[in-house]
Amino acid sequence: MTTWTTCSTPPHAPEAAILLREYMAEMVRRWHGRPERPAEVTEALAEMPSDDLAPPTGLLVLARHDGQLAGCAGLRWRPRWAELTRVYVRPAHRGTGGGAALLAAVEAYARSSGADRLRLDTRADLVEARALYARHGYREIPAFNDGPYAQHWFEKLLPARVGDPVAPC
């Protein structure tokens, strides 16, 4: 039986930096429809930094699949809600419940921190991500931002209940 575990970590931690770079490389690759160039990934990371995915402005969650580093997801705090971002599962671990584990972890942490909803934006080419969000109760909503890569916007209302925050790594 395989298991997923999650923990929170600063985005500058070595394992977090590795996953955030892999995430951005995939975003660049899929956007351009060709292999990414290292300089493009570095530029994209600078254009859309993840530094705010740490207290007091946010949170970064890492996921492990059977002990192996396998994915990440971030939250940015807004008044009474949180923005979900940087959801990524390494290709070797896809289809094994990693997306669901990450969503459950960030939803629990957002609830325990007082957020009443999660919102996110995503691109049209990220069809797997859009399907994941829909399966887990996120519904499409009108645009709430004008991000340069935002093409679909989702929201999930979070029921009021006490949840344990994500443990630190």
Side-chain angles (χ1 to χ4, degrees):
M1 182 175 157
T2 61
T3 60
W4 281 91
T5 58
T6 58
C7 62
S8 63
T9 191
H12 62 273
E15 289 181 327
I18 289 167
L19 285 173
L20 290 168
R21 186 165 191 84
E22 288 178 17
Y23 161 84
M24 196 60 72
E26 182 166 337
M27 295 303 101
V28 169
R29 188 169 47 251
R30 291 180 68 158
W31 181 258
H32 293 294
R34 58 165 171 73
E36 76 281 1
R37 294 188 283 269
E40 290 176 309
V41 176
T42 301
E43 289 169 14
L45 286 165
E47 177 187 338
M48 296 180 292
S50 298
D51 298 346
D52 60 345
L53 301 180
T57 56
L59 170 79
L60 183 66
V61 174
L62 299 185
R64 293 182 186 283
H65 184 223
D66 288 338
Q68 294 180 20
L69 188 63
C72 62
L75 289 175
R76 288 190 178 103
W77 303 124
R78 308 291 188 224
R80 300 212 27 88
W81 60 280
E83 179 184 3
L84 179 62
T85 187
R86 307 295 192 267
V87 178
Y88 174 73
V89 176
R90 284 178 156 169
H93 300 279
R94 292 180 185 165
T96 63
L102 283 163
L103 290 179
V106 295
E107 289 169 12
Y109 197 87
R111 258 192 316 273
S112 72
S113 298
D116 65 2
R117 69 193 66 222
L118 283 177
R119 287 183 171 176
L120 65 99
D121 66 64
T122 191
R123 300 182 338 211
D125 63 321
L126 301 177
V127 294
E128 306 92 339
R130 291 186 1 243
L132 172 73
Y133 302 134
R135 271 194 318 274
H136 290 276
Y138 291 76
R139 63 179 181 81
E140 284 210 54
I141 61 170
F144 64 87
N145 66 23
D146 60 355
Y149 304 103
Q151 297 168 318
H152 293 268
W153 296 262
F154 287 83
E155 178 179 79
K156 181 176 182 177
L157 301 179
L158 300 174
R161 63 180 179 185
V162 177
D164 293 332
V166 177
C169 292

